[in-house]
PDB file of all heavy atoms in Angstrom:
ATOM      1  N   GLY D 294     -63.821 228.538  69.992  1.00  0.00           N
ATOM      2  CA  GLY D 294     -62.342 228.372  69.930  1.00  0.00           C
ATOM      3  C   GLY D 294     -62.018 226.902  70.184  1.00  0.00           C
ATOM      4  O   GLY D 294     -61.065 226.455  69.472  1.00  0.00           O
ATOM      5  N   GLY D 295     -62.877 226.136  70.861  1.00  0.00           N
ATOM      6  CA  GLY D 295     -62.480 224.713  71.067  1.00  0.00           C
ATOM      7  C   GLY D 295     -63.006 223.946  69.848  1.00  0.00           C
ATOM      8  O   GLY D 295     -62.457 222.810  69.584  1.00  0.00           O
ATOM      9  N   VAL D 296     -64.013 224.442  69.191  1.00  0.00           N
ATOM     10  CA  VAL D 296     -64.635 223.506  68.058  1.00  0.00           C
ATOM     11  C   VAL D 296     -63.856 223.929  66.699  1.00  0.00           C
ATOM     12  O   VAL D 296     -63.791 223.006  65.930  1.00  0.00           O
ATOM     13  CB  VAL D 296     -66.150 223.813  67.978  1.00  0.00           C
ATOM     14  CG1 VAL D 296     -66.717 222.952  66.939  1.00  0.00           C
ATOM     15  CG2 VAL D 296     -66.784 223.507  69.317  1.00  0.00           C
ATOM     16  N   ALA D 297     -63.559 225.176  66.520  1.00  0.00           N
ATOM     17  CA  ALA D 297     -63.099 225.535  65.163  1.00  0.00           C
ATOM     18  C   ALA D 297     -61.964 224.602  64.592  1.00  0.00           C
ATOM     19  O   ALA D 297     -61.945 224.325  63.418  1.00  0.00           O
ATOM     20  CB  ALA D 297     -62.650 226.995  65.230  1.00  0.00           C
ATOM     21  N   PRO D 298     -60.852 224.247  65.389  1.00  0.00           N
ATOM     22  CA  PRO D 298     -59.889 223.447  64.863  1.00  0.00           C
ATOM     23  C   PRO D 298     -60.387 222.179  64.214  1.00  0.00           C
ATOM     24  O   PRO D 298     -59.743 221.657  63.394  1.00  0.00           O
ATOM     25  CB  PRO D 298     -59.023 223.137  66.020  1.00  0.00           C
ATOM     26  CG  PRO D 298     -59.247 224.173  67.050  1.00  0.00           C
ATOM     27  CD  PRO D 298     -60.662 224.517  66.840  1.00  0.00           C
ATOM     28  N   ASP D 299     -61.607 221.733  64.616  1.00  0.00           N
ATOM     29  CA  ASP D 299     -62.162 220.387  64.082  1.00  0.00           C
ATOM     30  C   ASP D 299     -63.096 220.717  62.989  1.00  0.00           C
ATOM     31  O   ASP D 299     -63.352 219.903  62.046  1.00  0.00           O
ATOM     32  CB  ASP D 299     -62.765 219.572  65.155  1.00  0.00           C
ATOM     33  CG  ASP D 299     -61.744 219.231  66.235  1.00  0.00           C
ATOM     34  OD1 ASP D 299     -60.642 218.852  65.885  1.00  0.00           O
ATOM     35  OD2 ASP D 299     -62.082 219.276  67.375  1.00  0.00           O
ATOM     36  N   VAL D 300     -63.952 221.762  63.089  1.00  0.00           N
ATOM     37  CA  VAL D 300     -64.963 221.956  62.222  1.00  0.00           C
ATOM     38  C   VAL D 300     -64.781 222.975  61.174  1.00  0.00           C
ATOM     39  O   VAL D 300     -64.973 222.725  59.891  1.00  0.00           O
ATOM     40  CB  VAL D 300     -66.316 222.350  62.985  1.00  0.00           C
ATOM     41  CG1 VAL D 300     -67.473 222.703  62.101  1.00  0.00           C
ATOM     42  CG2 VAL D 300     -66.705 221.219  63.898  1.00  0.00           C
ATOM     43  N   LEU D 301     -64.116 224.138  61.570  1.00  0.00           N
ATOM     44  CA  LEU D 301     -63.777 225.139  60.583  1.00  0.00           C
ATOM     45  C   LEU D 301     -62.745 224.642  59.633  1.00  0.00           C
ATOM     46  O   LEU D 301     -62.851 224.807  58.413  1.00  0.00           O
ATOM     47  CB  LEU D 301     -63.390 226.370  61.265  1.00  0.00           C
ATOM     48  CG  LEU D 301     -63.372 227.715  60.453  1.00  0.00           C
ATOM     49  CD1 LEU D 301     -63.287 228.873  61.453  1.00  0.00           C
ATOM     50  CD2 LEU D 301     -62.149 227.787  59.615  1.00  0.00           C
ATOM     51  N   LYS D 302     -61.718 224.010  60.135  1.00  0.00           N
ATOM     52  CA  LYS D 302     -60.539 223.566  59.414  1.00  0.00           C
ATOM     53  C   LYS D 302     -60.842 222.157  58.821  1.00  0.00           C
ATOM     54  O   LYS D 302     -61.680 221.418  59.407  1.00  0.00           O
ATOM     55  CB  LYS D 302     -59.310 223.468  60.219  1.00  0.00           C
ATOM     56  CG  LYS D 302     -58.978 224.875  60.694  1.00  0.00           C
ATOM     57  CD  LYS D 302     -57.497 224.825  61.392  1.00  0.00           C
ATOM     58  CE  LYS D 302     -56.535 224.437  60.340  1.00  0.00           C
ATOM     59  NZ  LYS D 302     -55.151 224.774  60.760  1.00  0.00           N
ATOM     60  N   HIS D 303     -60.322 222.005  57.674  1.00  0.00           N
ATOM     61  CA  HIS D 303     -60.658 220.661  57.010  1.00  0.00           C
ATOM     62  C   HIS D 303     -59.524 219.763  57.023  1.00  0.00           C
ATOM     63  O   HIS D 303     -59.683 218.562  56.400  1.00  0.00           O
ATOM     64  CB  HIS D 303     -61.205 220.970  55.574  1.00  0.00           C
ATOM     65  CG  HIS D 303     -62.519 221.669  55.528  1.00  0.00           C
ATOM     66  ND1 HIS D 303     -63.136 222.297  54.539  1.00  0.00           N
ATOM     67  CD2 HIS D 303     -63.407 221.840  56.562  1.00  0.00           C
ATOM     68  CE1 HIS D 303     -64.259 222.745  54.844  1.00  0.00           C
ATOM     69  NE2 HIS D 303     -64.519 222.490  56.051  1.00  0.00           N
ATOM     70  N   ASP D 304     -58.406 220.178  57.498  1.00  0.00           N
ATOM     71  CA  ASP D 304     -57.405 219.093  57.783  1.00  0.00           C
ATOM     72  C   ASP D 304     -56.534 219.551  59.028  1.00  0.00           C
ATOM     73  O   ASP D 304     -56.607 220.661  59.390  1.00  0.00           O
ATOM     74  CB  ASP D 304     -56.536 218.722  56.606  1.00  0.00           C
ATOM     75  CG  ASP D 304     -56.202 219.904  55.821  1.00  0.00           C
ATOM     76  OD1 ASP D 304     -56.286 221.042  56.378  1.00  0.00           O
ATOM     77  OD2 ASP D 304     -55.773 219.781  54.633  1.00  0.00           O
ATOM     78  N   GLY D 305     -55.842 218.532  59.569  1.00  0.00           N
ATOM     79  CA  GLY D 305     -55.004 218.878  60.683  1.00  0.00           C
ATOM     80  C   GLY D 305     -54.066 217.820  60.941  1.00  0.00           C
ATOM     81  O   GLY D 305     -53.680 217.138  59.927  1.00  0.00           O
ATOM     82  N   LEU D 306     -53.584 217.666  62.119  1.00  0.00           N
ATOM     83  CA  LEU D 306     -52.500 216.635  62.394  1.00  0.00           C
ATOM     84  C   LEU D 306     -53.024 215.300  62.208  1.00  0.00           C
ATOM     85  O   LEU D 306     -53.760 214.865  63.080  1.00  0.00           O
ATOM     86  CB  LEU D 306     -51.908 216.958  63.807  1.00  0.00           C
ATOM     87  CG  LEU D 306     -50.614 216.304  64.044  1.00  0.00           C
ATOM     88  CD1 LEU D 306     -49.476 216.756  63.207  1.00  0.00           C
ATOM     89  CD2 LEU D 306     -50.186 216.448  65.554  1.00  0.00           C
TER      90      LEU D 306
END
Side-chain angles (χ1 to χ4, degrees):
Chain D
V296 180
D299 299 318
V300 174
L301 195 163
K302 298 189 63 164
H303 292 166
D304 39 21
L306 193 62

